Amino acid sequence: MRKIVMLLAIMLGMIACEEKDISLFPSFEESAKFNINTNSFEEDATIYSSVISDAVIEATDGEGGVERLVLEGLWFEVTPNSGNTAQAMTLTFQIKSWATDEYLPILEDFTFTVNSGKVNFLKELKSEGVIELKNQLNAIAKGLPSSDIKFESEGIVTPEGGTVDVDVEVFVNATVVYTTTVGI
Amino acid sequence: MYVLWPFATNAYDLTFKQKPKLMKRSVFMLFALMSFTLVQSQSLEDYLSKYTQENGKQYLQPFADAFSADFNSGLFHNAHLKKMGFQLYIGVAAQVATIPSSAKHFQAYTESGLFEPEGPYSVPTVFGPTEGKIVPIEASNGLLDYAFPGGFDMDYVPLAMPQITIGSVFGTDFTARYIELDVTDIGKIKVFGWGLRHSIDQYLDILPIDLAVGYYNQSFKIGEYMDATANVVNLQASYSIPVLTFYGGLGYENSKVDVQYTYEGPDISTTSIQEGDRVSFEMEGANTVRLTLGMTLNLGPVKIHGDYNVAKQNTFVVGLGIGINEK
């Protein structure tokens, strides 16, 4: 990811006459996958905190202090597996609160067609779950006490009967805002 | 006959491909002169990777303007050419482009495959404040945010350019700048510049001043990420009295900077740019006409000169060198 350098760094090296704090904004993506194989389902998926930590370290090259993590994107990637006959899915997508162990909704009764590809649901987001997700991502990125990010997905598939075999992968896209010092 | 980019020796593994003694001496002299030491390297990609073409272009445009202005400065410090005879100048010119406040922000729209562009927002250019701008994404009812990268908070862009000028054959001399560096994580940085100028006053004995016309072409390449060229044609004039030479010029110039980098934003859309795609665009420098006014202090073979260049992107130049048979 960080192969490219740094024209601007060269510029800065040419120009700077003092130490200077600059903010950088690298991005990363991580995901968790549900496999849904029943008409009525309740499945768990996890993004491990170590995965987020590693992504942040990779994004920042382990340099500087993370100021915040900006959650910029959230979407599903749907993959109907061989033999699947499900055509649509209605689900409630939740995140487990670190404070209470309760599940907080990110999506509620969200219906989408089961086609291979990406599903955008920005307009359907629920604040309770999204705020919890942002808090958890920020805690991990900043190295605060944290745990894994656990999701739950429950819902139904239509039409009933037939064979259900669908992978739903939830993607998180975030930008790490971190500060590092460049000087002479 | 070479250009030095005075960034840190301890931050990059610099490998000079050509190491004549004179070059090494001048390089070290220039390092001492500029005293620039970069402690940490930062990635252009960190700043640009989420920008696609339009935002990326506007983000970097002030850089293209300043860089090109610097490149086209400091190329001459008199207009005196013998009709035939040996003349030599070896020196270093430090150019500084001043960054106007208007070049520190641009109007940007969010760029994401997840939602329609939102904005405009006034966000930093490459020379703007280091703090970026984080705005709520309206399409998510403000639950998600979008981060516009910050800049480097720069007011000036200096550039040091060692060069050699040799002549004169039929009132014509030749100027060259060249260097090639291997820089860790960047690849090769290659700078090459050349120029020719021809005496006009040799045909006009009545003129009390020296007059010459010059053309200069310079190219600059950083790995696979940046490829820039600059051209300037100018009319140069100078008038000498003991110890001092007053000089000036009127030039027409153009420049082009090609940039490429890898996009790293969300790739949900199947129609827009995808993560990992290469983003490339071309920028043109702002300057077209340049007026130069300056003065050279002649202390025997030692030449100290300074000039100011008035254009859309103003620059000032200070130079030091050794001149033989110059005035």
Side-chain angles (χ1 to χ4, degrees):
Chain A
M1 168 183 172
R2 317 253 346 265
K3 285 272 188 175
I4 300 177
V5 185
M6 298 155 201
L7 172 59
L8 304 184
I10 296 172
M11 291 290 305
L12 197 58
M14 296 188 319
I15 293 160
C17 298
E18 58 187 319
E19 290 201 335
K20 181 178 285 190
D21 290 335
I22 60 172
S23 299
L24 299 178
F25 301 78
S27 299
F28 69 87
E29 258 176 41
E30 292 299 338
S31 66
K33 185 184 286 185
F34 302 95
N35 177 252
I36 294 165
N37 52 22
T38 56
N39 283 284
S40 178
F41 61 87
E42 182 175 327
E43 300 289 340
D44 295 330
T46 301
I47 299 179
Y48 295 101
S49 62
S50 59
V51 170
I52 299 294
S53 296
D54 290 347
V56 170
I57 290 169
E58 184 187 354
T60 63
D61 273 356
E63 297 172 356
V66 174
E67 289 182 10
R68 66 178 287 191
L69 189 145
V70 179
L71 179 60
E72 294 193 319
L74 201 57
W75 68 93
F76 290 152
E77 176 110 21
V78 175
T79 308
N81 294 315
S82 178
N84 173 69
T85 59
Q87 295 176 1
M89 188 178 293
T90 299
L91 59 72
T92 293
F93 175 56
Q94 306 180 100
I95 183 171
K96 189 175 186 179
S97 164
W98 285 348
T100 65
D101 281 348
E102 292 179 1
Y103 280 97
L104 305 172
I106 294 174
L107 294 171
E108 278 186 324
D109 295 329
F110 174 64
T111 300
F112 59 94
T113 305
V114 178
N115 290 324
S116 184
K118 293 163 181 171
V119 176
N120 188 353
F121 45 71
L122 284 188
K123 293 184 186 302
E124 309 297 329
L125 291 171
K126 302 298 177 189
S127 61
E128 302 98 305
V130 173
I131 290 169
E132 178 67 17
L133 175 58
K134 290 161 81 170
N135 289 339
Q136 292 185 12
L137 286 168
N138 271 279
I140 296 169
K142 292 176 181 176
L144 302 175
S146 59
S147 131
D148 297 332
I149 300 175
K150 295 184 176 177
F151 299 107
E152 182 190 73
S153 179
E154 60 181 9
I156 58 171
V157 168
T158 54
E160 291 186 16
T163 303
V164 179
D165 189 0
V166 182
D167 289 333
V168 177
E169 190 169 7
V170 57
F171 277 84
V172 170
N173 175 266
T175 289
V176 184
V177 182
Y178 77 102
T179 303
T180 190
T181 302
V182 175
I184 57 169
Chain B
M1 193 167 174
Y2 29 81
V3 175
L4 175 67
W5 293 84
F7 45 89
T9 51
N10 61 344
Y12 299 108
D13 175 21
L14 304 182
T15 305
F16 289 94
K17 295 300 186 186
Q18 297 187 355
K19 295 184 177 179
K21 287 181 180 178
L22 183 59
M23 176 177 174
K24 287 177 70 175
R25 198 177 306 137
S26 294
V27 164
F28 291 129
M29 179 183 74
L30 203 63
F31 268 112
L33 179 68
M34 305 307 286
S35 299
F36 290 124
T37 306
L38 184 64
V39 173
Q40 284 180 273
S41 63
Q42 302 304 332
S43 168
L44 172 61
E45 211 163 40
D46 284 345
Y47 282 74
L48 286 174
S49 60
K50 70 184 302 178
Y51 276 160
T52 57
Q53 185 166 328
E54 192 52 41
N55 278 350
K57 188 174 181 178
Q58 292 190 72
Y59 180 83
L60 280 178
Q61 184 62 51
F63 166 78
D65 296 343
F67 181 76
S68 303
D70 272 344
F71 245 128
N72 284 333
S73 299
L75 290 162
F76 67 96
H77 57 277
N78 64 37
H80 174 70
L81 289 91
K82 291 185 173 182
K83 189 166 186 177
M84 194 69 77
F86 181 69
Q87 285 183 293
L88 177 69
Y89 174 80
I90 299 174
V92 178
Q95 294 87 223
V96 181
T98 55
I99 308 302
S101 58
S102 60
K104 295 202 168 186
H105 291 85
F106 72 101
Q107 296 294 311
Y109 289 84
T110 57
E111 293 177 328
S112 171
L114 290 169
F115 55 95
E116 293 297 312
E118 297 176 359
Y121 299 101
S122 178
V123 303
T125 66
V126 61
F127 297 137
T130 61
E131 300 82 16
K133 185 158 194 159
I134 297 171
V135 299
I137 297 171
E138 294 171 15
S140 70
N141 299 316
L143 290 175
L144 305 188
D145 298 307
Y146 186 90
F148 290 95
F152 280 114
D153 190 22
M154 293 175 179
D155 295 319
Y156 305 96
V157 178
L159 182 63
M161 304 286 278
Q163 71 182 45
I164 183 170
T165 299
I166 189 166
S168 163
V169 179
F170 300 113
T172 302
D173 70 9
F174 175 74
T175 296
R177 299 165 159 178
Y178 176 77
I179 199 170
E180 185 172 316
L181 309 175
D182 266 343
V183 181
T184 303
D185 292 334
I186 298 178
K188 285 185 178 175
I189 295 180
K190 186 176 181 180
V191 183
F192 175 69
W194 65 272
L196 286 172
R197 64 175 182 167
H198 184 69
S199 169
I200 301 297
D201 61 87
Q202 66 177 322
Y203 307 113
L204 305 167
D205 289 338
I206 194 170
L207 278 181
I209 60 173
D210 296 313
L211 200 61
V213 61
Y215 168 77
Y216 302 88
N217 172 280
Q218 296 168 90
S219 62
F220 171 69
K221 186 174 177 62
I222 300 180
E224 57 188 291
Y225 312 115
M226 180 169 284
D227 201 344
T229 57
N231 295 282
V232 59
V233 57
N234 55 26
L235 183 65
Q236 305 169 12
S238 68
Y239 181 75
S240 296
I241 59 174
V243 184
L244 287 177
T245 299
F246 300 95
Y247 65 94
L250 185 63
Y252 176 80
E253 65 191 36
N254 62 53
S255 57
K256 188 181 73 171
V257 180
D258 293 323
V259 175
Q260 290 190 64
Y261 55 89
T262 303
Y263 176 69
E264 293 187 350
D267 63 351
I268 188 171
S269 170
T270 55
T271 55
S272 64
I273 189 168
Q274 306 287 295
E275 183 180 24
D277 284 354
R278 295 291 285 176
V279 176
S280 64
F281 52 82
E282 178 183 310
M283 298 178 290
E284 291 186 359
N287 283 354
T288 52
V289 177
R290 165 191 299 257
L291 176 65
T292 301
L293 293 172
M295 188 170 65
T296 299
L297 181 61
N298 302 296
L299 303 173
V302 177
K303 312 292 179 184
I304 301 170
H305 68 95
D307 60 62
Y308 191 75
N309 295 265
V310 181
K312 285 183 181 174
Q313 175 72 68
N314 295 344
T315 60
F316 59 90
V317 177
V318 177
L320 172 66
I322 303 295
I324 299 173
N325 293 333
E326 276 200 326
K327 68 174 183 178

